[in-house]
Amino acid sequence: MSFIDSFKQNFIEADRWKYLTSGLANTMIITFFAVILGMVLGFIVAIVRCTYLKTGKMKIGNALCRIYLTVIRGTPVVVQLLIIYFVVFASVNISKTVVAVIAFGINSGAYVAEIVRGGIMSIDNGQMEAGRSLGLNYSRTMGLIIMPQALRTVLPALANECIVLLKETSVAGYIALNDLTKGGDQIRSQTFSPFLPLIAVAVIYLVIVMFLSFLVNKLERRLSANDRR
Amino acid sequence: MIDVKGLKKSFGEIEVLKGIDEHISKGEKVVIIGPSGSGKSTFLRCLNLMEKPTAGEILFDGQDITKLKEKDIDGVRQRMGMVFQHFNLFPHLTIKKNITLAPVTLGLMSKEEANEKAEELLKRVGLPDKANEYPAMLSGGQKQRIAIARALAMNPEVMLFDEPTSALDPEMVGEVLELMKQLADDGMTMVVVTHEMGFAKEVASRVMFMAEGYVMEQNTPEEFFANPKSPRLKEFLSRVLV
């Protein structure tokens, strides 16, 4: 079978390209909301951990965060996804996309937390002291002086975490969710020709990741240019 | 103005301050000298509770600030300026923002008032043209002068200086000391930890010698340098005044 015939069979006939487009849409939706959830969770956890490390307060919060980090970073994301779908939400009628957002968001949050914590701890303690010596309280010093500086240093790492998350959502098919990977696989199971659909999926991921990496690079260059001022 | 009673501070097992009783009156310029590890910086940092004392009282205008809640401590710190060895300017903010951040955030001044105050302070520290630059563009001496301006923007009643010239290149020490001298002449109450003996002689109303966690000796600068009494101080002076 020629390439053109194979292309037609895999993508044109029976509108099979729609598996890819709707899959891609799902992948993007899941990634987008999981990134938001992950950032929110990650920042909260990082701030709790840093507050404990710097002031000794929030002991219980810190303990909870450590359990969260250990469990999430110590188990595969697929297992977490399956547990959340088949155990946590077993008896609840809930959209698979929402389940995926929750699972990937919780997973990403743990990695974001450690990135942000590293950023906050990298800021010289003198900054906190200077803020406090002027009479600013802990949270204002954190918000106005520490966080803006920490954020700048971790921004590229956070952007990379988004890219990683995009690729990790490819296991969403485990809960029969039609994401991009699953879409390609469905075409394969119908046409029995694995090459084109799977390569197409890979190329789509690659193009998106290359585009995002390009943006991250630009961002990094802009930040380091600002540092020289 | 500040009364220190039985002040002790330990870091873990190590007792750095072993019981200090001191009184600092309004308008005094107290210069604290002593070998490193003597507890002089720790003593200074206890005065605005950057370090929490292990025991003892610190009375600021009659109020024991060691018993205060966190929120009220912030209020006390607003009345005490502090200048650090490593300046600790906020690198992500312009010079003007460095100066206006605290008074504006705390609602003590409107933005316009704070900006005016900042311009006035920048003139006073001799850097009126730096308002819109970032700290990274300044020399060490300029940074420290801005740090002083930043502390002054809060209209403090006392200024605490923690080795303000120790991190500076020698040729920049003068400009910072000169500014501190002006501040002293304007009547500011000052507590200064320093190794600058010349500054102590010229500006101090009282020089304090700390060693091993105690205030070993103190006197007017004339007496202090001319007639040191304790052998520990004699030895120290012989080493620093070569």
Side-chain angles (χ1 to χ4, degrees):
Chain A
M1 195 157 47
S2 76
F3 176 81
I4 293 175
D5 289 338
S6 176
F7 187 89
K8 271 187 188 158
Q9 184 205 22
N10 276 306
F11 301 124
I12 313 292
E13 278 171 29
D15 282 345
R16 289 201 179 99
W17 55 273
K18 281 187 177 163
Y19 283 114
L20 293 182
T21 50
S22 69
L24 177 61
N26 279 332
T27 292
M28 297 306 263
I29 289 167
I30 293 168
T31 306
F32 179 75
F33 287 104
V35 162
I36 292 175
L37 179 60
M39 293 286 166
V40 172
L41 273 176
F43 273 90
I44 292 171
V45 170
I47 288 170
V48 170
R49 295 260 287 140
C50 288
T51 303
Y52 173 74
L53 288 169
K54 279 179 191 261
T55 67
K57 287 176 192 165
M58 297 204 175
K59 221 170 174 169
I60 298 167
N62 178 58
L64 289 175
C65 289
R66 285 191 64 173
I67 294 171
Y68 163 72
L69 294 173
T70 309
V71 171
I72 296 300
R73 296 195 304 158
T75 54
V77 64
V78 190
V79 178
Q80 292 162 19
L81 178 69
L82 291 173
I83 289 175
I84 287 176
Y85 184 62
F86 289 112
V87 180
V88 179
F89 290 115
S91 54
V92 189
N93 189 11
I94 187 170
S95 127
K96 286 172 187 162
T97 310
V98 175
V99 172
V101 167
I102 292 171
F104 292 118
I106 289 176
N107 179 271
S108 177
Y111 295 94
V112 170
E114 289 300 88
I115 294 171
V116 174
R117 184 177 69 93
I120 294 174
M121 297 313 276
S122 76
I123 304 300
D124 178 44
N125 206 31
Q127 294 290 308
M128 178 56 85
E129 287 188 349
R132 299 308 303 274
S133 80
L134 290 165
L136 297 169
N137 62 23
Y138 177 82
S139 44
R140 273 179 169 157
T141 308
M142 203 65 178
L144 294 171
I145 296 164
I146 309 292
M147 281 310 256
Q149 296 181 56
L151 216 54
R152 272 175 65 131
T153 48
V154 301
L155 217 48
L158 283 181
N160 276 322
E161 170 59 23
C162 298
I163 295 177
V164 170
L165 187 60
L166 171 79
K167 290 183 288 178
E168 284 203 330
T169 60
S170 63
V171 297
Y174 270 87
I175 58 169
L177 198 159
N178 291 315
D179 75 324
L180 177 59
T181 307
K182 181 81 175 172
D185 200 44
Q186 259 168 341
I187 299 175
R188 179 196 59 81
S189 68
Q190 289 177 12
T191 62
F192 300 105
S193 69
F195 183 77
L196 271 184
L198 296 184
I199 292 297
V201 168
V203 168
I204 294 172
Y205 277 117
L206 185 63
V207 168
I208 299 172
V209 168
M210 280 171 66
F211 176 66
L212 291 176
S213 301
F214 164 76
L215 292 183
V216 174
N217 262 329
K218 249 180 116 162
L219 179 78
E220 261 182 290
R221 243 176 292 144
R222 259 191 65 179
L223 285 179
S224 66
N226 275 344
D227 281 343
R228 277 195 295 271
R229 73 189 166 190
Chain B
M1 178 173 226
I2 303 176
D3 263 304
V4 180
K5 291 179 184 166
L7 176 65
K8 290 185 182 176
K9 172 69 187 176
S10 305
F11 293 104
E13 299 282 288
I14 305 156
E15 193 171 43
V16 180
L17 299 179
K18 297 173 181 166
I20 292 182
D21 295 275
E22 225 23 87
H23 176 81
I24 297 164
S25 317
K26 199 167 165 54
E28 261 197 299
K29 295 102 186 58
V30 179
V31 172
I32 307 173
I33 63 169
S36 59
S38 58
K40 52 194 191 313
S41 274
T42 307
F43 172 60
L44 188 80
R45 289 162 57 83
C46 279
L47 294 180
N48 68 346
L49 301 179
M50 281 284 133
E51 305 290 353
K52 299 267 149 56
T54 320
E57 292 178 0
I58 298 170
L59 303 177
F60 184 52
D61 280 349
Q63 185 186 32
D64 183 3
I65 59 173
T66 61
K67 304 272 189 309
L68 290 179
K69 292 201 199 83
E70 191 78 7
K71 215 182 114 197
D72 300 314
I73 292 176
D74 292 330
V76 171
R77 288 189 182 133
Q78 290 172 28
R79 299 163 58 196
M80 297 185 176
M82 185 166 219
V83 176
F84 301 86
Q85 182 177 357
H86 296 287
F87 333 126
N88 300 347
L89 293 181
F90 309 132
H92 62 302
L93 301 175
T94 61
I95 300 304
K96 195 200 271 176
K97 269 252 162 188
N98 263 275
I99 296 172
T100 58
L101 179 76
V104 172
T105 308
L106 293 166
L108 303 175
M109 293 178 200
S110 71
K111 224 175 165 176
E112 291 74 34
E113 286 169 340
N115 283 339
E116 239 169 75
K117 176 95 184 168
E119 268 167 43
E120 177 200 316
L121 282 168
L122 284 173
K123 248 180 242 159
R124 186 162 164 198
V125 302
L127 298 166
D129 52 337
K130 302 288 185 193
N132 295 314
E133 290 186 9
Y134 284 85
M137 302 181 70
L138 305 184
S139 71
Q142 290 174 331
K143 279 183 195 165
Q144 195 61 298
R145 281 146 70 192
I146 297 297
I148 292 171
R150 180 177 68 179
L152 289 176
M154 295 293 293
N155 293 319
E157 296 158 43
V158 196
M159 286 284 282
L160 310 175
F161 293 85
D162 189 2
E163 304 201 19
T165 57
S166 299
L168 296 176
D169 289 338
E171 79 266 25
M172 292 171 182
V173 171
E175 60 190 79
V176 173
L177 292 180
E178 187 52 44
L179 175 59
M180 289 167 64
K181 236 173 266 173
Q182 278 174 34
L183 206 56
D185 292 341
D186 291 345
M188 177 63 77
T189 311
M190 292 163 66
V191 185
V192 185
V193 171
T194 187
H195 297 290
E196 297 295 331
M197 299 301 146
F199 179 81
K201 275 181 193 163
E202 200 177 330
V203 180
S205 54
R206 173 155 58 114
V207 186
M208 203 183 271
F209 176 64
M210 281 188 73
E212 290 146 34
Y214 295 103
V215 176
M216 290 255 169
E217 187 168 343
Q218 54 178 313
N219 218 327
T220 59
E222 299 78 21
E223 273 296 300
F224 184 91
F225 290 104
N227 295 312
K229 298 198 174 56
S230 68
R232 194 80 180 72
L233 175 57
K234 281 180 193 161
E235 186 202 332
F236 178 77
L237 289 179
S238 74
R239 261 191 247 155
V240 283
L241 302 172
V242 191

